[in-house]
Amino acid sequence: MALGYVGVLTIRVEMPWVSNLKEKRALVRPVVERLKARYPLTVARLDGLDAHDWEVIGVATLSNDYGWVEETLRMAADFIAREGEYRVAWEETDITVLGGEDGEE
């Protein structure tokens, strides 16, 4: 039996029309901060911090309820896609079982 589940969402956002880091941060940072405030998540800007036209955002959560982890990450992905002035290039969700056999839900 699983003790819990760790869910990780990774999203790459792109904004090819942006020409500098200051403008990109003004688009991405407010979305990250609102996401942290609205949902029980850990959120970080992971990659592309020195690139002016793309960035990777990581989101993580932990629970003993697989469905809750899955639903919370889906809400976070929808929020990121809806709230920012960029386009989502790709997203990946990974949910890991803690204390149980892999594949057990």
Side-chain angles (χ1 to χ4, degrees), residues 27-86:
L27 295 176
V28 176
R29 186 177 287 157
V31 173
V32 167
E33 294 305 317
R34 285 193 308 268
L35 186 62
K36 286 179 188 180
R38 184 167 290 185
Y39 299 102
L41 301 165
T42 298
V43 185
R45 297 167 59 216
L46 298 177
D47 197 10
L49 301 177
D50 293 330
H52 65 83
D53 58 349
W54 66 275
E55 190 158 313
V56 175
I57 301 169
V59 178
T61 193
L62 171 72
S63 176
N64 66 343
D65 182 342
Y66 183 92
W68 184 89
V69 170
E70 188 175 45
E71 180 181 346
T72 302
L73 293 178
R74 172 58 26 221
M75 289 188 304
D78 292 345
F79 182 87
I80 292 169
R82 178 180 68 243
E83 293 295 317
E85 295 182 34
Y86 43 66

Side-chain angles (χ1 to χ4, degrees), residues 13-28 45 48-55 84-87:
V13 295
E14 295 180 347
M15 53 226 93
W17 56 90
V18 172
S19 60
N20 61 62
L21 291 174
K22 184 176 180 181
E23 187 179 355
K24 180 189 77 168
R25 279 192 303 270
L27 295 176
V28 176
R45 297 167 59 216
L49 301 177
D50 293 330
H52 65 83
D53 58 349
W54 66 275
E55 190 158 313
E85 295 182 34
Y86 43 66
R87 71 178 178 88

